[in-house]
Amino acid sequence: MNGKKHKIDTSFLTQLDRYALPIRNRVTAIHSGSHLSTKKGSGLDIVDHRKYNQGDSLKKIDWNLYARTEKLYIRRFEEDKNLNMVILLDASTSMLIPENNPNKFEYASTVAIGISYIVMRYNDQYMIATFAENVDYTKALKGRDEFLRTIDNLSRISVNGKTKLADCADSIYPRIKSKSMVLVISDFLDDPDSIRYAVHRLCRHELVLIHLYDETEINLPETVDGTVKFIDSETNEEFSISVGQEFRKEYAAEFGKHMAELDKIAHDFKIPYFKISIDNRPIDTVLTVIGKG
């Protein structure tokens, strides 16, 4: 647990009550929920209702029920099935940067919890799997009690090791049994070939990449000057480098090159790719990812 609990911000969750996840493609699932399935059905049998949310189709409003209650409800049919949400959360050592709060892991966990909260409210299934060199799985979850346990589990998880997205994708792929939304939340400090392989492996799903970074990773602070000892956060390898203006330019160029590689991967596979500074408010990141920001 790295000696202390991770701080996960939950103060903004109720502000998400009026939002739903947009589904670009229909998804296959087997449990009752609120999203359209790829499975065929008559679509005639109403199984229950849910409250109307902004953006819902007016065609699905039960006007007879409105006449009796003066409240808007959406009719849900037997063919309406749930969204399977899979969140792959980077728990490698580099996610513990910066030393102040929140670090990248705490920020990533907060975003994952925010998105899971929306999924949970619609009685849909979600799974949060943390990864580094290995993958730590949980079962697919539903309901408020499971959601609260998820927050507690993430606050206690051990964060260590190297980012190995290719191995993660190979491990998680056979466990995702049906078409799902798959969100990868990571700092993506991995070899571009490994990232490309992982995207190729998982892109049969509705895949989204959320790239988190700290501003000091892009531009070294002015206080970092002269001969400086650097420590690789994932290997603990130490090396000394003379830091000056030329080195700063070279460093920024290399980081920019890595981000450009990620942009190209996302473009090649036609998947959403969000670059997010952890200086942003978590709720703003959640809304950006679901298309409401």
Side-chain angles (χ1 to χ4, degrees):
M1 294 188 295
N2 305 297
K4 64 177 182 178
K5 289 184 66 175
H6 309 294
K7 295 179 181 178
I8 301 175
D9 181 16
T10 59
S11 62
F12 67 98
L13 293 181
T14 55
Q15 298 177 54
L16 299 172
D17 284 347
R18 62 193 181 96
Y19 295 104
L21 281 169
I23 311 302
R24 291 193 310 277
N25 301 312
R26 294 188 300 171
V27 295
T28 303
I30 59 173
H31 301 281
S32 296
S34 59
H35 304 285
L36 189 62
S37 170
T38 53
K39 295 181 179 179
K40 300 296 183 181
S42 65
L44 298 177
D45 298 327
I46 299 176
V47 292
D48 64 4
H49 295 78
R50 65 168 172 80
K51 289 182 179 179
Y52 172 82
N53 288 281
Q54 185 177 1
D56 286 333
S57 171
L58 296 178
K59 295 179 180 179
K60 289 189 176 182
I61 292 176
D62 190 329
W63 295 108
N64 290 328
L65 188 58
Y66 174 76
R68 297 196 304 271
T69 66
E70 295 187 353
K71 294 181 179 179
L72 293 175
Y73 288 93
I74 293 294
R75 294 170 294 179
R76 297 202 300 184
F77 297 96
E78 181 60 35
E79 73 170 26
D80 287 340
K81 302 297 181 180
N82 87 310
L83 165 71
N84 285 334
M85 170 67 74
V86 178
I87 299 178
L88 305 181
L89 185 59
D90 189 345
S92 62
T93 307
S94 65
M95 294 291 285
L96 293 175
I97 296 171
E99 293 184 357
N100 57 296
N101 299 118
N103 56 42
K104 286 185 287 187
F105 180 78
E106 290 168 332
Y107 189 93
S109 297
T110 298
V111 171
I113 287 298
I115 293 171
S116 299
Y117 177 80
I118 298 173
V119 175
M120 179 272 296
R121 284 189 59 255
Y122 282 83
N123 200 34
D124 288 334
Q125 283 195 149
Y126 65 93
M127 177 179 74
I128 298 178
T130 55
F131 71 91
E133 296 173 59
N134 299 300
V135 182
D136 185 13
Y137 301 99
T138 64
K139 65 178 181 178
L141 305 172
K142 292 181 76 173
R144 187 169 296 273
D145 290 344
E146 295 278 18
F147 178 73
L148 294 175
R149 278 193 287 271
T150 298
I151 297 173
D152 186 60
N153 290 339
L154 281 179
S155 72
R156 299 173 184 274
I157 199 166
S158 177
V159 178
N160 56 61
K162 298 179 65 176
T163 305
K164 293 189 175 181
L165 270 167
D167 291 349
C168 168
D170 278 340
S171 182
I172 197 75
Y173 181 84
R175 292 175 177 263
I176 307 176
K177 302 299 184 182
S178 59
K179 192 74 176 290
S180 305
M181 288 188 74
V182 178
L183 273 60
V184 183
I185 309 178
S186 172
D187 59 10
F188 290 99
L189 294 181
D190 193 7
D191 185 272
D193 289 339
S194 172
I195 298 170
R196 179 175 287 276
Y197 175 87
V199 169
H200 173 73
R201 195 87 162 100
L202 297 173
C203 67
R204 78 176 183 92
H205 300 286
E206 192 170 337
L207 182 62
V208 178
L209 306 183
I210 304 174
H211 181 184
L212 301 182
Y213 64 89
D214 179 62
E215 294 291 345
T216 60
E217 293 179 297
I218 297 180
N219 298 298
L220 293 177
E222 291 297 326
T223 52
V224 180
D225 194 45
T227 301
V228 180
K229 182 173 72 173
F230 288 85
I231 302 175
D232 187 312
S233 60
E234 297 193 346
T235 66
N236 288 322
E237 181 183 357
E238 297 184 9
F239 45 95
S240 295
I241 296 177
S242 179
V243 177
Q245 287 304 315
E246 191 60 33
F247 177 82
R248 292 177 197 280
K249 291 179 182 179
E250 292 177 1
Y251 174 86
E254 283 299 314
F255 200 95
K257 181 180 177 182
H258 184 69
M259 281 189 147
E261 289 275 4
L262 294 174
D263 266 321
K264 187 175 188 309
I265 291 170
H267 178 268
D268 289 347
F269 287 93
K270 296 179 175 60
I271 59 172
Y273 168 47
F274 298 94
K275 294 188 284 285
I276 306 289
S277 166
I278 64 172
D279 286 342
N280 292 318
R281 296 190 309 164
I283 187 172
D284 292 336
T285 296
V286 172
L287 295 181
T288 296
V289 171
I290 69 172
K292 304 295 183 179

